[in-house]
Amino acid sequence: MIRLIPFLLLLETADASRNWADLVDSSELQPLDPNANNYLLRFDPFERANDTEEDDENVEMEPPAVAADNDDISSPAPSDSNTGNPLTLPPLDDTPVLWQPPELPILNFTNNNDPYPEKPLPAVPMPWYFNYDSTSNFGPGEIGLFSKEGLFDINVHNNHWGQVELAPLSYWEEFTANGWGPYQGVLDNHDPTNRNLCETGSLQSPIDVRENGGGVCKETHQIHTHAGDFGIRSDHVRHEIHPNKLRLLYDRRPCADFVNDAACAEPDPPFADFPNGWGGYSDVLHVDFKVPGEHRIWNEQFDAEMQIFHIHYGRRRLPTQAVLIRARDDGHNAYLEEVLTLFEYEYDMNQAKCARRLREQRRLQSQIHSLLGNKTPDDSHFDSSADFSTLLDLPEFEKEQNQRRLQNSVWDPHHPMLVPSIYFYRYDGSLTEPPCGEFVSWFVCDTPMIISFEQLERMKKILFTNVDENCRLTSIHHDESVARPIRPIGERPVWRCTEEHYGPS
């Protein structure tokens, strides 16, 4: 009696890179009709009658650059592998039975009933996994008033980020003694790849920003900024969708001291001159967008936040501008729109890869049923053309249209439509995600950026519903948030710089 083994071997030979345990449930195997044997020997499940080599080349898309920090590469759930159901064949039976192929799984894409579904916890979380659910064993905890030995204290409860390890070759590896590039070793004194301060640190961020009696403005001029010469669509700027942020990642210049060494001058990313003795310029490393805002100003929470991370070679710190974002009905921000469209393009590309996987599954299922003479099953649940198949249908057309929409012009993260005030609150703090290193000098703009509600919703859609090529959600948001809850200010001085503190510039 012919079994399914030749068919599985044929599939494995056709493409060894695919996980066929995702496509066939071995626990439901039944004997095949002997007449199917000749067809199986000639059957190519990925032969496409209407496809050409040129079409295949168009569909294969280069995956977007992926930064290593905090990406969720956790072990898959048991249902994603075949270890729970080892391959076994049913007992012999003299009566031929036509094999009924099981329904292929519906991959994990957006549920229309929940616009922002939450990604389930991985079955076996990796040591570097974390999320934003403060009630879980992987969350950041929340600030509260707690009693200790008869005294009340403001502290953080249920903080589990202190146990998070950094993934191998994390983003911060670049800045250690074993790193690379012009800023190798700049942060080595902070040991960002081995020291996790999320639980034990005393200078944690974000905070509820408000000036206190411990600080007086020390800055005598505004932050002087330069746009650099990197085109927004050039290879020097990568636009990445991370599990907990949208990121613009800038290439580094050839060497760090571009003031005294002409060889370091070009090409240059955006950079800034920070006041109060920083001395020299600080290059932009990356720009992050978080939803909702992480910092507060006098306990006011905002819809989102933009964080512009710079690095200073001499001070070995990250001077960082934070701009809170408020959405309004009439608040369309044309300058933000340029980069928001870039992120949407990356999102569409990821959805297209997912759609191709769904089509591939549907095609395989249909061919199996057709081969075995079965009635074609209902596959209405594979709605692969509903939201994200355009790039697959006409990928070159879509790319051409996108290039027309987006000119390769310089996009300045310090533009007045993004940073609407030259005045700021100032305090020393930390990264707002593991390892929570305390080497960030925060400059929090005292006036929020204004965007529209429509732009805010698009930002949330990109961040919360992005999928990988296997149609798995990538976001680790909880309750539509990838914002770390505020931390205690403690005894840190916080001051505000306004017009009265600036001299002639």
Side-chain angles (χ1 to χ4, degrees):
M1 183 67 66
I2 298 170
R3 303 293 178 179
L4 190 60
I5 288 293
F7 182 60
L8 291 178
L9 292 177
L10 182 62
L11 294 182
E12 184 174 0
T13 303
D15 191 337
S17 66
R18 288 176 169 84
N19 181 7
W20 295 109
D22 287 345
L23 304 182
V24 178
D25 183 356
S26 60
S27 64
E28 298 187 17
L29 300 182
Q30 299 180 31
L32 287 172
D33 189 311
N35 295 327
N37 187 37
N38 291 331
Y39 292 94
L40 286 176
L41 295 178
R42 298 196 305 267
F43 178 61
D44 179 3
F46 291 97
E47 182 180 355
R48 307 168 193 171
N50 298 324
D51 285 359
T52 64
E53 291 182 6
E54 179 180 355
D55 184 53
D56 283 342
E57 290 175 1
N58 289 339
V59 173
E60 290 294 342
M61 305 170 197
E62 181 180 353
V66 179
D69 67 317
N70 302 321
D71 281 354
D72 179 15
I73 53 177
S74 308
S75 301
S79 59
D80 292 334
S81 69
N82 198 34
T83 55
N85 295 300
L87 183 63
T88 57
L89 293 175
L92 287 173
D93 191 336
D94 292 335
T95 304
V97 178
L98 185 63
W99 175 66
Q100 297 291 335
E103 292 296 315
L104 299 179
I106 303 175
L107 298 184
N108 186 9
F109 57 94
T110 304
N111 181 351
N112 292 329
N113 295 325
D114 183 359
Y116 305 123
E118 294 187 18
K119 183 177 182 178
L121 284 173
V124 184
M126 301 301 284
W128 44 84
Y129 174 80
F130 67 95
N131 62 28
Y132 288 83
D133 182 0
S134 290
T135 65
S136 78
N137 291 329
F138 305 95
E142 291 183 311
I143 192 171
L145 189 64
F146 302 98
S147 175
K148 183 178 180 181
E149 298 179 356
L151 300 176
F152 287 97
D153 184 31
I154 297 177
N155 214 322
V156 177
H157 175 67
N158 205 34
N159 180 5
H160 293 281
W161 280 10
Q163 288 74 50
V164 175
E165 300 179 12
L166 256 69
L169 293 178
S170 77
Y171 178 80
W172 302 107
E173 192 83 28
E174 173 186 350
F175 309 99
T176 66
N178 296 323
W180 56 88
Y183 301 112
Q184 178 182 4
V186 170
L187 298 179
D188 199 54
N189 58 319
H190 299 285
D191 198 13
T193 58
N194 293 311
R195 293 181 64 195
N196 183 321
L197 299 177
C198 297
E199 190 173 3
T200 61
S202 60
L203 304 175
Q204 291 293 288
S205 298
I207 64 171
D208 179 12
V209 179
R210 56 183 74 193
E211 62 262 44
N212 56 32
V216 177
C217 178
K218 304 176 180 64
E219 287 73 16
T220 57
H221 65 81
Q222 69 187 74
I223 304 169
H224 296 299
T225 64
H226 302 264
D229 54 21
F230 288 173
I232 190 62
R233 286 197 56 80
S234 72
D235 293 337
H236 296 296
V237 184
R238 291 180 290 284
H239 22 93
E240 303 172 346
I241 304 174
H242 288 241
N244 64 336
K245 54 186 170 282
L246 304 179
R247 170 168 287 182
L248 292 175
L249 180 63
Y250 290 84
D251 275 358
R252 316 307 185 213
R253 65 176 69 247
C255 41
D257 189 8
F258 66 95
V259 174
N260 300 310
D261 189 344
C264 307
E266 297 292 340
D268 58 339
F271 57 94
D273 171 24
F274 287 88
N276 188 28
W278 283 83
Y281 294 98
S282 302
D283 280 349
V284 172
L285 296 175
H286 58 264
V287 179
D288 289 345
F289 294 89
K290 307 293 287 285
V291 178
E294 294 195 300
H295 288 89
R296 299 185 184 185
I297 297 180
W298 288 93
N299 202 36
E300 181 180 0
Q301 189 168 18
F302 293 82
D303 298 306
E305 182 170 339
M306 180 179 75
Q307 300 169 348
I308 312 172
F309 285 81
H310 307 71
I311 188 167
H312 194 277
Y313 186 84
R315 283 207 183 182
R316 298 175 176 266
R317 291 184 64 82
L318 305 183
T320 301
Q321 293 173 272
V323 185
L324 284 307
I325 299 175
R326 179 182 290 139
R328 294 195 319 210
D329 288 330
D330 59 346
H332 182 79
N333 191 314
Y335 204 77
L336 178 69
E337 184 68 20
E338 294 184 47
V339 73
L340 186 58
T341 308
L342 278 172
F343 286 122
E344 284 183 322
Y345 180 69
E346 293 299 321
Y347 175 88
D348 288 343
M349 294 288 279
N350 293 338
Q351 294 281 11
K353 293 173 186 176
C354 165
R356 174 174 180 172
R357 179 68 185 269
L358 293 175
R359 290 181 177 199
E360 193 173 80
Q361 286 194 341
R362 184 172 60 178
R363 182 184 296 113
L364 176 61
Q365 184 187 50
S366 178
Q367 288 175 332
I368 293 174
H369 280 283
S370 177
L371 172 69
L372 300 177
N374 296 351
K375 181 181 178 181
T376 303
D378 177 21
D379 60 358
S380 59
H381 55 277
F382 286 106
D383 191 12
S384 62
S385 62
D387 299 318
F388 42 74
S389 64
T390 307
L391 288 172
L392 286 178
D393 294 335
L394 297 169
E396 293 303 323
F397 175 77
E398 282 292 330
K399 290 180 181 179
E400 182 179 347
Q401 291 292 97
N402 190 66
Q403 289 171 353
R404 288 196 189 122
R405 289 193 300 266
L406 296 171
Q407 300 299 320
N408 191 25
S409 58
V410 173
W411 188 84
D412 183 6
H414 311 104
H415 192 278
M417 290 188 70
L418 306 177
V419 187
S421 173
I422 62 174
Y423 309 119
F424 51 80
Y425 294 89
R426 172 77 178 83
Y427 80 99
D428 286 333
S430 72
L431 302 174
T432 62
E433 61 187 50
C436 307
E438 294 179 341
F439 43 79
V440 184
S441 298
W442 287 98
F443 295 74
V444 182
C445 184
D446 69 352
T447 304
M449 178 199 314
I450 301 301
I451 67 173
S452 68
F453 283 112
E454 184 262 349
Q455 287 177 312
L456 176 64
E457 287 304 313
R458 287 161 58 199
M459 192 182 299
K460 291 166 68 174
K461 177 182 177 182
I462 297 168
L463 185 54
F464 297 155
T465 68
N466 184 59
V467 295
D468 62 19
E469 62 182 10
N470 292 317
C471 301
R472 297 184 178 95
L473 292 166
T474 61
S475 176
I476 54 174
H477 79 95
H478 174 66
D479 197 20
E480 300 182 23
S481 173
V482 287
R484 187 189 192 190
I486 58 172
R487 307 288 102 172
I489 297 176
E491 298 180 358
R492 279 178 287 181
V494 181
W495 60 91
R496 184 183 185 187
C497 294
T498 60
E499 183 179 11
E500 64 183 84
H501 301 104
Y502 294 168
S505 178

